[in-house]
Amino acid sequence: MSPTREGPTLLSWASQLEVSTLVQARQTAAMAFIHPHVALMPDAHSGKGSAVGTVIPTRGAVMPAAVGVDIGCGMIAARTTFTRADVDARIAETGSGLAALREAVEDAIPLSPGNYNRGTGDWRFTAARIRELEELADAGDVDLSHSPKWRRQLGSLGGGNHFIELCLDEADRVWLFLHSGSRGVGNKIAQHHIRVAQRMCAGVRLPNRDLAYLSEGTAEFDRYLTDLHWAQRFAYLNRAEMMDRFAAVFARWMGVSGNHETERINCHHNYTRQEMHGGEQVWLTRKGAVDAHAGVRAVIPGSMGTRSYVVEGLGNADGLCSAPHGAGRQFSRTEAKRRFTQDDLRARMVGIEYRDSAEFVDEIPDAYKDIDVVMEDARDLVRVVHELRQILNVKGT
């Protein structure tokens, strides 16, 4: 769809837009350092300070709460050489269904927000990632004293809307797919710098205190960008770590060895980096949005029980070369639990292997916007390359 102008510096691609979300977006777009405009994505919904699904270009300042507390949260997807027929043949051969695979994945990857790996030596590829993060922290003098167990967080999923899925595309090829971010250590980094920004803006009139900012040229700004870079890298490597574990578990379940991937896409949707927009180099914050520069591939998930999409960016300048990051919630977790039951969730998950539990009712697809409407709204931002449907779902508890 073509964007609608919702203010002097606000363009929106959202056909499903709540008043509270629009209010937040207008507040963000009214900040003096916005250039050239804020882009509101099709999946936008209310968030902390600024709406989730907001792309925010700023000159000389960054707002830590706009980046969010799950720094570097994003998606990773890996296409394999396997097909639905291979999976069905393995089930017939072994008599071991997808429940056994789900349980093996749950055993290999810690799921809950406070659950860590038992150790860091269980997988051959973990040590190199920890070493890279240690060296990056040392080089930037990143203070991680608030998270002494950060190494054991690497390769853990977390809770909420984080998930792991086995999917099939339009040609019945098997994809491995998951959603996670920088875990507890990233949250601690974000919360610290949000408080610093609020102290720095104590005498500034803000429409919302979570729009507090750090000004370029200050020590606080430099410290945040260094710590942010570390957390973004942690999130990226965290997804890669889990994907390697998922791939190993899946191969074992399939009774094969070796690497069976043909493609891997790992993309953030909560982050800040420098980009050129409106003829200037700005700090571009994608809060619930993916990079959609021309030719760049990304992954846009639906919800448990609905389709997801592998996409390629179209480089839309008005959209700040960005695209939506998912379906976006239409009901809060509390409201979803009030409206829906475990039986409702079971009905929506027919044909999908998942852990049948009442704790996931707030993640029912009905709590989210219609992903097909979101993708239609995004048709001038990305083109769909693959359409994925899940046959197995593992949720963060």
Side-chain angles (χ1 to χ4, degrees), residues 100-111 164 246 249 392 394:
L101 174 60
R102 174 179 57 78
E103 290 166 2
V105 171
E106 292 171 346
D107 185 60
I109 298 173
L111 301 181
I164 303 166
F246 187 13
V249 168
L392 177 151
V394 174

Side-chain angles (χ1 to χ4, degrees), residues 1 25-26 41 45 52 55 62 77 79-80 127 131 155-156 176 181 183 189 198 216 286 293 306 318 333 348:
M1 64 177 283
R26 284 174 172 163
M41 295 290 102
H45 60 93
V52 178
V55 185
V62 170
R79 194 177 88 184
T80 74
R131 187 164 56 251
S156 63
L176 312 180
R183 304 293 290 106
I189 288 171
Q198 289 172 344
E216 196 165 2
R286 292 186 173 98
H293 278 85
T306 62
D318 285 341
R333 296 188 181 282
R348 297 292 265 119

Side-chain angles (χ1 to χ4, degrees), residues 52-336:
V52 178
T54 310
V55 185
I56 309 165
T58 54
R59 290 184 289 199
V62 170
M63 297 175 284
V67 179
V69 294
D70 195 356
I71 297 169
C73 188
M75 309 298 306
I76 185 169
R79 194 177 88 184
T80 74
T81 59
F82 299 108
T83 66
R84 176 62 186 259
D86 297 323
V87 171
D88 289 345
R90 183 62 175 169
I91 291 173
E93 176 187 354
T94 64
S96 173
L98 289 176
L101 174 60
R102 174 179 57 78
E103 290 166 2
V105 171
E106 292 171 346
D107 185 60
I109 298 173
L111 301 181
S112 72
N115 195 11
Y116 304 143
N117 295 285
R118 292 182 292 271
T120 58
D122 293 344
W123 302 86
R124 59 176 175 75
F125 37 72
T126 308
R129 293 185 174 119
I130 290 176
R131 187 164 56 251
E132 177 185 338
L133 289 165
E134 288 173 338
E135 292 171 354
L136 188 61
D138 288 343
D141 196 25
V142 177
D143 179 11
L144 299 172
S145 61
H146 48 67
S147 302
K149 295 182 179 179
W150 70 262
R151 294 169 183 82
R152 291 172 59 192
Q153 292 176 20
L154 187 74
S156 63
L157 185 68
N161 61 352
H162 293 168
F163 64 79
I164 303 166
E165 290 182 340
L166 187 72
C167 297
L168 304 174
D169 68 11
E170 66 286 345
D172 270 356
R173 292 169 298 206
V174 173
W175 289 70
L176 312 180
F177 189 46
L178 65 88
H179 171 208
S180 192
S182 56
R183 304 293 290 106
V185 63
N187 185 286
K188 291 285 184 63
I189 288 171
Q191 296 286 5
H192 168 74
H193 288 287
I194 289 170
R195 290 191 296 270
V196 171
Q198 289 172 344
R199 288 199 302 270
M200 297 290 287
C201 289
V204 179
R205 288 191 63 183
L206 297 170
N208 186 316
R209 72 190 302 259
D210 283 321
L211 294 178
Y213 55 88
L214 298 171
S215 296
E216 196 165 2
T218 65
E220 290 82 4
F221 179 93
D222 292 343
R223 180 74 269 155
Y224 175 58
L225 265 294
T226 299
D227 293 355
L228 180 73
H229 175 66
W230 187 91
Q232 289 175 180
R233 187 60 182 166
F234 180 96
Y236 185 94
L237 293 176
N238 187 47
R239 288 192 294 275
E241 175 76 15
M242 284 186 284
M243 182 56 75
D244 285 348
R245 295 185 191 185
F246 187 13
V249 168
F250 180 63
R252 191 181 307 134
W253 182 81
M254 287 293 296
V256 299
S257 60
N259 180 12
H260 294 269
E261 287 185 32
T262 61
E263 178 181 7
R264 182 179 284 203
I265 304 159
N266 192 346
C267 61
H268 294 323
H269 54 227
N270 279 6
Y271 69 110
T272 290
R273 72 179 184 195
Q274 285 189 305
E275 292 186 9
M276 289 293 297
H277 293 284
E280 294 187 30
Q281 185 163 267
V282 297
W283 292 101
L284 191 75
T285 295
R286 292 186 173 98
K287 180 175 184 175
V290 297
D291 181 0
H293 278 85
V296 172
R297 289 203 170 186
V299 191
I300 302 176
S303 57
M304 64 186 299
T306 62
R307 287 180 292 276
S308 299
Y309 296 89
V310 177
V311 299
E312 189 171 273
L314 297 178
N316 186 308
D318 285 341
L320 304 175
C321 297
S322 301
H325 81 312
R329 295 194 74 91
Q330 65 172 336
F331 298 124
S332 69
R333 296 188 181 282
T334 300
E335 180 64 15

